[in-house]
Amino acid sequence: MQDITSFIGISAACCTTASFVPQVVQILKSKDTAGISVAMYSIFTLGVLLWVIYGFVIQDMPVLLANSVTLILTLSVLVLTIIQRLRTANIRNSSNVSKD
């Protein structure tokens, strides 16, 4: 029974972690972050960071590894979104200054 439980846990970790890969790839390809909520990804990323810390404290390697990979992916989405929004704001500000 322990093997089935471990398999379910590892499968769940792989699915939830891998679910962020398409979002990262889409942002990298399209450079479009309009549909991304910075607040949601910030809160989620903080939660994942806390899971990483928790996994470290209880010395649970599956929790630590799965959430470390998820943290990298969610941070990627968050950072790419913030960078894109800052670039868009700078372009808008530059065009407004040149109109004056």
Side-chain angles (χ1 to χ4, degrees):
M1 190 65 162
Q2 182 64 25
D3 289 341
I4 292 172
T5 303
S6 294
F7 176 75
I8 292 170
I10 291 169
S11 296
C14 288
C15 288
T16 56
T17 299
S19 71
F20 288 94
V21 172
Q23 186 70 69
V24 173
V25 171
Q26 182 178 352
I27 290 172
L28 289 171
K29 284 183 177 180
S30 70
K31 306 287 189 234
D32 181 16
T33 60
I36 304 295
S37 168
V38 172
M40 178 270 180
Y41 265 90
S42 296
I43 294 166
F44 188 81
T45 301
L46 176 60
V48 173
L49 174 62
L50 293 172
W51 275 114
V52 169
I53 293 168
Y54 175 75
F56 180 78
V57 169
I58 67 168
Q59 298 180 359
D60 187 321
M61 194 57 69
V63 170
L64 181 61
L65 289 177
N67 285 291
S68 293
V69 173
T70 302
L71 182 62
I72 292 167
L73 293 169
T74 60
L75 269 173
S76 298
V77 171
L78 188 59
V79 168
L80 289 168
T81 300
I82 291 169
I83 288 170
Q84 186 61 32
R85 301 250 171 106
L86 289 172
R87 284 182 182 155
T88 302
N90 286 339
I91 290 169
R92 270 192 242 136
N93 289 338
S94 296
S95 66
N96 287 340
V97 169
S98 63
K99 289 180 183 177
D100 292 339

